[in-house]
Amino acid sequence: MGANDDDPRKHRILMVSDFFYPNFGGVENHIYYLSQCLLNLGHKVVVATHAYGNRSGVRYMTGGLKVYYVPWRPFVMQNTFPTIYGLLPIIRTILIRERITVVHGHQAFSTFCHEALMHARTMGYKVVFTDHSLYGFADVGSIHMNKVLQFTLADVTQAICVSHTSKENTVLRSGLPPEKVFVIPNAVDTSMFTPAVDRPKRSEQIVIVVISRLVYRKGVDLLVEVIPEVCRIHPNVRFIVGGDGAKRVRLEEMREKHSLQDRVEMLGAVPHAQVRSVLIRGHIFLNSSLTEAFCIAILEAASCGLLTVSTRVGGVPEVLPDDMVVLAEPDPSDMVYAIKKAIYMLPKIDPQDMHNRMRELYDWNDVAKRTEIVYDRALKCSNQKLLERLSRYLCCGAWAGKLFCLVMIVGYLFWQLLELWQPADDIEEVPDFTLPQNCDEEILENTQ
Amino acid sequence: MVEFSISNARYTYVHDQKYPSENADMHHIILRRSGSKYIFVYASALLVLACAIYLYFLEEKSISLVYYSLLFDIFLVKLLLRKPVNKESVVIMPAFGVQLETHYMSGKVVRCFVPIDKILKPVLLECVTPVTCYWTLSLIVREESEMVLVFKNLRPPIKMLVHVWKALCAATDNKEETCTHAK
């Protein structure tokens, strides 16, 4: 038996999202690191996501993190096909067999998350939702998604956002009361992102690094204007551009047009394990995103001792202290001025000192402790009957409110039917595995 | 003859220690017949046929509707009540191997033998389907890419599977897991 059974303060958490390993990205990283730190604190964490290709079923990751790859196929942009009630049986089975106390969903643009949270609420579990991105209000896609979000969050127990700007955005989109929303910023693994032992000398050449997906959202069009201008003004500046995407062609064209092949190096897609080795080749990190709820990329750069130049959008101003970042409006001339200012500031920067400060400021263990407080708060909330909860859905809109109520009532009836068809007592609980501390080392020794 | 058994609503597990000299060890999982399933299936088949006949006689639809409904009924009965399994057994002979038997209601028995040196390890696995998750006991077999399921048709609970698993582990001379388990 794990420490779990004895200590009522320890939670049993189910993380749900469409986004998890082997897919790679910010949300996936967040879920993984948060889960590992929560496991270290003594809680039990299980992750549920959809199957990736052949990877289907139960897998165990480091530290005994159990992952359920539920065999529902993704249909667009890694999202599971929305069937409203399709996931109810498997989610119910997982919740009962793992004796879950809190369900934690991630990312607004994840159908698996929304459905799982809805079913968890129907069955009376406490639900926490974390929103990782900023979304608009004006276009058709955003309007529909905001309505779905309103539905899911109408009855969520607590919500978490990664920055104050993100909190404002989420509260406006979903109509959630601000008292229910906590702000817990992301963090960075500072042990993985350390400065270079010896760096290229600043007096010879200044290297500016850009690593991002080369898509519209990440401001590649701005880069296309900024890079030639900077190269013209500062003859000793070089660029390294890592990443791939639809807009890569524009950067290649810019290189050809201004004959910057020797001054702009294009690396293509950079696997995350190699990001640090690319970052330490530079002095300045350039981020030109047009929208960002939080920006982990600049945290990674600051941890490696690079000075950051970024667009002043979304939650970016909240991320780094003023002496580690130079902010600019998302306008080419303003960004060129900011780069000039950064080059001027470079001699005063000490990479190791920056790294040490980042270690103090950002730590995943701190994020886990703050999330634990949110779980404690969520569990203290009262259990509500179906009728009380329905009143919250009615406020969502004239027609939408009634539709949401209908969906919840039908969901409740399905659940009662399932309780008769397959009673909860028939579902066996899974014993907790406790891996001994040196289990991984033993396996490594045996294979060598 | 020493016998040890556990039962729940659907399954009964019997451990037959008929040969205490450990030449052979038998484990059986017996399915409890539930009449309600038969009643439900036959009742719904009858309902479908009755509707078709009603439509033919009173609403004057074509006779082919009755034929189709009859075909549908036969298909339904075949699908839901096909080849009912009475019992599944595992006979462990440490010197030779493991015999897996499936006994059907009709008296037919299907047997599958796995030699002892081909078994790498018996494992308890969790299988996830789009609607549920359950435990299975499988044998990892040398030089085969697929594992051999010990209980192919029945899904007994983990507390029954654990006894069979322990017996298989002892017979195939595997060390107990180095990582500790809760139970």
Side-chain angles (χ1 to χ4, degrees):
Chain A
M1 314 283 169
N4 236 287
D5 290 1
D6 305 319
D7 195 344
R9 289 169 304 161
K10 296 300 177 196
H11 306 290
R12 302 177 69 90
I13 304 142
L14 177 69
M15 301 276 189
V16 282
S17 183
D18 269 307
F19 306 102
F20 195 64
Y21 297 152
N23 205 35
F24 208 85
V27 180
E28 294 85 340
N29 252 359
H30 174 105
I31 300 175
Y32 179 75
Y33 279 118
L34 180 60
S35 305
Q36 290 295 333
C37 292
L38 285 169
L39 283 168
N40 281 343
L41 285 172
H43 303 286
K44 159 100 178 159
V45 184
V46 177
V47 179
T49 183
H50 66 75
Y52 287 87
N54 270 345
R55 190 183 288 222
S56 166
V58 172
R59 299 270 174 132
Y60 286 89
M61 297 183 85
T62 316
L65 176 65
K66 188 168 181 181
V67 187
Y68 281 85
Y69 289 98
V70 178
W72 282 80
R73 290 262 161 244
F75 83 118
V76 79
M77 285 171 70
Q78 290 297 328
N79 279 315
T80 323
F81 189 76
T83 52
I84 307 181
Y85 304 112
L87 284 172
L88 178 58
I90 184 66
I91 295 287
R92 174 175 173 260
T93 306
I94 295 174
L95 287 171
I96 293 172
R97 68 201 309 269
E98 302 286 346
R99 288 170 284 147
I100 300 291
T101 54
V102 180
V103 180
H104 190 164
H106 292 266
Q107 190 60 315
F109 201 72
S110 164
T111 47
F112 194 100
C113 166
H114 286 297
E115 285 191 29
L117 293 189
M118 175 176 85
H119 298 315
R121 275 314 281 150
T122 308
M123 294 187 267
Y125 289 87
K126 299 290 187 283
V127 153
V128 177
F129 175 75
T130 297
D131 201 354
H132 291 260
S133 306
L134 295 176
Y135 290 100
F137 297 82
D139 57 295
V140 176
S142 294
I143 293 174
H144 286 302
M145 220 209 0
N146 292 344
K147 210 67 193 169
V148 171
L149 192 71
Q150 232 184 354
F151 169 58
T152 305
L153 295 190
D155 199 23
V156 78
T157 320
Q158 303 290 348
I160 300 174
C161 287
V162 293
S163 64
H164 294 282
T165 313
S166 176
K167 173 174 173 173
E168 205 181 301
N169 186 265
T170 302
V171 165
L172 287 171
R173 276 160 51 217
S174 64
L176 200 58
E179 309 81 63
K180 268 197 186 175
V181 186
F182 291 76
V183 175
I184 304 178
N186 276 326
V188 66
D189 188 1
T190 44
S191 59
M192 208 170 117
F193 291 95
T194 49
V197 173
D198 62 280
R199 298 203 328 154
K201 293 222 178 339
R202 275 178 239 133
S203 49
E204 292 166 0
Q205 262 204 330
I206 296 178
V207 180
I208 302 182
V209 178
V210 178
I211 299 186
S212 78
R213 283 178 300 136
L214 301 177
V215 294
Y216 171 72
R217 253 176 97 109
K218 298 292 181 181
V220 178
D221 299 302
L222 276 174
L223 277 182
V224 167
E225 313 266 321
V226 163
I227 292 178
E229 191 59 25
V230 169
C231 287
R232 189 182 65 81
I233 298 174
H234 304 276
N236 64 335
V237 165
R238 239 171 31 92
F239 281 85
I240 297 178
V241 178
D244 205 350
K247 292 272 184 181
R248 187 178 171 177
V249 176
R250 284 210 71 193
L251 279 173
E252 302 273 10
E253 280 172 3
M254 177 243 354
R255 258 175 106 206
E256 293 286 325
K257 186 171 159 191
H258 297 274
S259 310
L260 293 169
Q261 287 90 339
D262 54 337
R263 295 188 62 191
V264 176
E265 189 184 335
M266 305 279 295
L267 296 175
V270 180
H272 196 252
Q274 286 164 22
V275 164
R276 187 231 167 211
S277 57
V278 175
L279 285 173
I280 56 174
R281 287 169 64 187
H283 303 99
I284 295 177
F285 183 78
L286 178 59
N287 174 52
S288 54
S289 306
L290 299 178
T291 172
E292 203 75 72
F294 189 85
C295 191
I296 302 191
I298 61 180
L299 280 188
E300 291 170 353
S303 182
C304 286
L306 277 76
L307 179 61
T308 306
V309 174
S310 177
T311 42
R312 188 185 282 114
V313 290
V316 171
E318 299 173 39
V319 177
L320 287 175
D322 292 330
D323 56 336
M324 289 195 198
V325 66
V326 181
L327 294 170
E329 296 306 315
D331 170 69
S333 48
D334 208 22
M335 285 181 73
V336 170
Y337 176 72
I339 293 178
K340 186 171 166 188
K341 193 170 155 198
I343 294 174
Y344 179 71
M345 278 169 74
L346 262 184
K348 290 173 239 157
I349 300 293
D350 175 14
Q352 193 56 46
D353 180 55
M354 222 188 213
H355 172 82
N356 294 339
R357 280 177 71 191
M358 289 304 294
R359 244 202 348 234
E360 303 292 312
L361 289 172
Y362 287 101
D363 183 14
W364 279 110
N365 290 306
D366 180 52
V367 173
K369 285 202 191 85
R370 289 159 84 165
T371 312
E372 194 183 21
I373 296 173
V374 178
Y375 294 147
D376 291 337
R377 190 76 75 87
L379 283 179
K380 285 201 183 85
C381 288
S382 56
N383 288 323
Q384 287 191 311
K385 297 269 183 263
L386 177 69
L387 288 173
E388 291 162 2
R389 291 172 41 226
L390 283 178
S391 59
R392 290 206 207 148
Y393 288 106
L394 271 174
C395 318
C396 289
W399 288 105
K402 296 180 179 67
L403 180 66
F404 295 159
C405 278
L406 189 66
V407 169
M408 288 311 283
I409 290 169
V410 174
Y412 184 82
L413 291 171
F414 266 129
W415 175 48
Q416 292 302 325
L417 194 68
L418 260 181
E419 290 272 301
L420 284 171
W421 185 270
Q422 192 187 30
D425 296 330
D426 277 356
I427 300 174
E428 302 166 293
E429 289 169 4
V430 177
D432 284 332
F433 287 97
T434 42
L435 298 170
Q437 295 290 10
N438 54 354
C439 185
D440 289 329
E441 277 96 28
E442 259 185 52
I443 294 170
L444 273 173
E445 274 167 26
N446 289 340
T447 52
Q448 271 158 12
Chain B
M1 184 158 89
V2 180
E3 217 178 69
F4 166 73
S5 76
I6 310 173
S7 46
N8 76 357
R10 289 189 75 192
Y11 300 102
T12 306
Y13 162 71
V14 177
H15 180 196
D16 225 347
Q17 286 158 316
K18 208 191 270 188
Y19 305 101
S21 64
E22 289 173 26
N23 280 338
D25 195 15
M26 298 202 282
H27 303 261
H28 310 278
I29 299 277
I30 305 160
L31 180 67
R32 295 225 190 146
R33 305 267 86 206
S34 81
S36 57
K37 191 179 180 190
Y38 283 96
I39 295 170
F40 176 72
V41 174
Y42 283 125
S44 28
L46 214 63
L47 191 68
V48 169
L49 193 61
C51 286
I53 293 172
Y54 167 79
L55 285 169
Y56 172 62
F57 280 118
L58 288 155
E59 308 262 341
E60 282 166 52
K61 299 270 190 267
S62 82
I63 188 89
S64 53
L65 193 67
V66 181
Y67 290 141
Y68 286 137
S69 74
L70 212 60
L71 269 169
F72 174 75
D73 279 344
I74 294 168
F75 171 72
L76 197 74
V77 169
K78 269 245 170 305
L79 183 73
L80 293 176
L81 300 178
R82 63 174 164 190
K83 296 214 33 190
V85 173
N86 187 25
K87 176 171 91 163
E88 288 204 299
S89 305
V90 180
V91 183
I92 305 172
M93 293 160 282
F96 301 110
V98 175
Q99 172 141 301
L100 308 170
E101 300 175 352
T102 307
H103 301 251
Y104 293 94
M105 278 285 280
S106 51
K108 182 173 161 192
V109 183
V110 173
R111 296 186 175 90
C112 165
F113 181 74
V114 187
I116 198 76
D117 41 5
K118 281 206 84 180
I119 300 175
L120 183 60
K121 208 174 175 72
V123 284
L124 285 167
L125 287 175
E126 289 170 282
C127 296
V128 184
T129 69
V131 291
T132 189
C133 181
Y134 57 94
W135 287 96
T136 55
L137 176 58
S138 304
L139 300 170
I140 303 180
V141 180
R142 292 179 207 274
E143 290 155 33
E144 298 278 329
S145 57
E146 299 268 323
M147 291 192 278
V148 174
L149 268 178
V150 172
F151 297 110
K152 296 176 178 36
N153 300 84
L154 302 180
R155 291 185 190 174
I158 186 74
K159 57 185 180 184
M160 296 181 191
L161 286 176
V162 160
H163 294 280
V164 186
W165 174 71
K166 283 186 177 158
L168 280 167
C169 280
T172 53
D173 243 356
N174 280 303
K175 292 196 287 290
E176 284 291 308
E177 295 289 298
T178 52
C179 305
T180 55
H181 299 280
K183 283 176 192 166

